[in-house]
Amino acid sequence: MATRKRVTILGSGPAGYTAAIYAAMAGLEPLLIHGPSTGGQLMLTTTVENFPGFANGIMGPDLMEETRKQAERLGTEFLQDLAESVDLSAQPFLVKTASQEILTDSLIIATGASAKQLGLASEKSLIGRGVSYCATCDGFFFKDKIVYVVGGGDSAMEEATVLAARAKTVTIIHRGDSFKASQRMIDKAKREPKISFSLNSVVEDILDAGKGEVTGIKVKDLKTGDVQELPADGVFIAIGHQPNTELFKEQLELTESGYIMTDGVKTSVAGVFAAGDVMDERYKQAIVAAGNGSSAALEARWFLSEKDAESSAS
Ligand code: NDP
């Protein structure tokens, strides 16, 4: 038999947890569904310097753990189980997970975004065998090794800085001739003697899929067209993220790049709200996601009050 909820939240990053805090404070007894890993992208980062309230910064995983405890203390119910499908065509909405069916009067989508891939066949087959998307998670395995980081944003700078603590050398490979990263992060990477930079370059292939481990990379210089084969033990891809909107493709309006289209936090279906990186193509900041989460919970509360008023009037 399906469980009935007033508010169901999908996702456990800053947006999902903050939505849970606000919904719980409103007495809506929210259910928050999350996958095997909780906390979202901040679980994969080190010090967060720009989240207000922490004079000396805070570690991303600590921030998320505290926020989760806050949501729990205030009355959020957590379900660890991936949502496999949703039906948003009629009220109440139906969320199916591997183990449960949940009927919910409102839904807050905070499923975030996932790391983008370069799209090379060798990249796919070497994931976990030298190809990684998270230096904080996997950097440990590259002590005294030769590693490359692909990308030119803050993530690439951060990944390189994390890796430099253990690796022998770290080279950032970037397709452009200037970085998208903030000057502060670039300066931090430049101060690290183990880090070097290869601009106007792209990774054409990662070797050696046949051996089942990373042994080298093929890098193309975009200015000269030259392709070089270089020894490598690890390749960290840090080229941004794509929104996790697969479940909602046929049911909600999405932007051209696949984010949930919103008016504020309202989606194209009344009673369904979206918060955080799943709908935020522009800012992609934890504090913005948290703000969206609170707005989504407030909107859900107002939506439910109106619905209650309508049904008691009829
Ligand atoms: P960004 O979108 O900022 O940067 C992605 C980078 O990858 C760009 O330099 C882009 O190149 C490059 N790129 C994209 N696609 C490809 C491709 N197919 N091949 C090669 N290169 C590619 O993503 P980030 O993940 O770096 O950052 C996302 C957000 O998170 C930002 O707002 C950032 O500030 C924030 N952040 C903050 C951190 C902190 O404060 N500690 C740490 C990490 C991220 P091009 O420049 O040519 O477009």
Side-chain angles (χ1 to χ4, degrees):
M1 209 182 92
T3 310
R4 183 73 185 254
K5 296 302 295 184
R6 297 280 275 159
V7 181
T8 300
I9 299 161
L10 300 178
S12 62
Y17 283 162
T18 309
I21 290 168
Y22 272 71
M25 293 280 287
L28 294 170
E29 299 176 347
L31 170 69
L32 187 150
I33 302 175
H34 61 84
S37 52
T38 55
Q41 294 171 59
L42 284 186
M43 298 302 280
L44 310 179
T45 192
T46 52
T47 313
V48 178
E49 301 275 13
N50 54 10
F51 202 92
F54 302 95
N56 300 311
I58 181 167
M59 297 300 281
D62 293 345
L63 177 60
M64 285 299 89
E65 185 53 29
E66 286 300 311
T67 318
R68 179 190 164 103
K69 283 186 198 157
Q70 189 178 354
E72 199 161 23
R73 176 177 64 79
L74 292 168
T76 304
E77 184 188 341
F78 290 88
L79 171 63
Q80 180 178 332
D81 205 356
L82 282 176
E84 290 181 342
S85 69
V86 294
D87 183 352
L88 308 178
S89 62
Q91 277 272 0
F93 309 120
L94 176 65
V95 178
K96 281 188 187 170
T97 72
S99 66
Q100 290 195 30
E101 289 191 5
I102 297 121
L103 287 168
T104 187
D105 296 323
S106 65
L107 182 69
I108 296 175
I109 300 168
T111 47
S114 300
K116 276 190 194 162
Q117 301 193 348
L118 291 172
L120 303 169
S122 52
E123 170 192 14
K124 224 180 192 110
S125 69
L126 291 168
I127 291 174
R129 296 156 184 250
V131 171
S132 168
Y133 301 84
C134 176
T136 309
C137 321
D138 301 329
F140 177 81
F141 303 107
F142 293 86
K143 189 172 177 344
D144 298 327
K145 303 283 187 193
I146 300 167
V147 299
Y148 289 84
V149 174
V150 184
D154 281 341
S155 295
M157 299 302 142
E158 173 151 311
E159 296 284 273
T161 310
V162 168
L163 288 164
R166 295 182 74 83
K168 184 176 171 189
T169 60
V170 183
T171 308
I172 296 176
I173 298 186
H174 178 43
R175 65 184 179 183
D177 54 12
S178 63
F179 292 114
K180 195 172 172 185
S182 60
Q183 198 54 49
R184 186 180 153 86
M185 300 287 270
I186 297 169
D187 291 344
K188 196 172 168 193
K190 282 190 172 164
R191 280 197 298 274
E192 171 53 63
K194 284 188 198 168
I195 299 178
S196 57
F197 300 86
S198 174
L199 298 177
N200 302 302
S201 303
V202 291
V203 174
E204 282 213 322
D205 200 7
I206 303 173
L207 310 170
D208 184 335
K211 285 191 182 153
E213 62 176 323
V214 171
T215 58
I217 54 171
K218 276 190 186 168
V219 183
K220 183 175 184 178
D221 182 319
L222 292 174
K223 285 208 160 149
T224 62
D226 289 349
V227 178
Q228 253 187 309
E229 203 172 301
L230 302 166
D233 301 302
V235 182
F236 286 75
I237 319 284
I239 59 170
H241 290 80
Q242 60 200 15
N244 296 320
T245 50
E246 198 60 35
L247 279 183
F248 318 106
K249 264 184 179 161
E250 308 302 327
Q251 309 196 51
L252 293 176
E253 278 179 33
L254 304 183
T255 67
E256 254 178 38
S257 31
Y259 289 78
I260 295 178
M261 198 178 273
T262 53
D263 173 8
V265 292
K266 292 181 184 173
T267 70
S268 52
V269 173
V272 179
F273 307 94
D277 284 11
V278 75
M279 50 71 88
D280 175 11
E281 214 162 335
R282 189 170 175 81
Y283 302 110
K284 301 187 178 89
Q285 296 300 304
I287 189 66
V288 177
N292 294 158
S294 77
S295 306
L298 289 169
E299 291 289 354
R301 192 180 106 198
W302 296 329
F303 170 80
L304 293 170
S305 304
E306 264 177 41
K307 217 168 141 253
D308 291 348
E310 275 167 23
S311 54
S312 57
S314 60

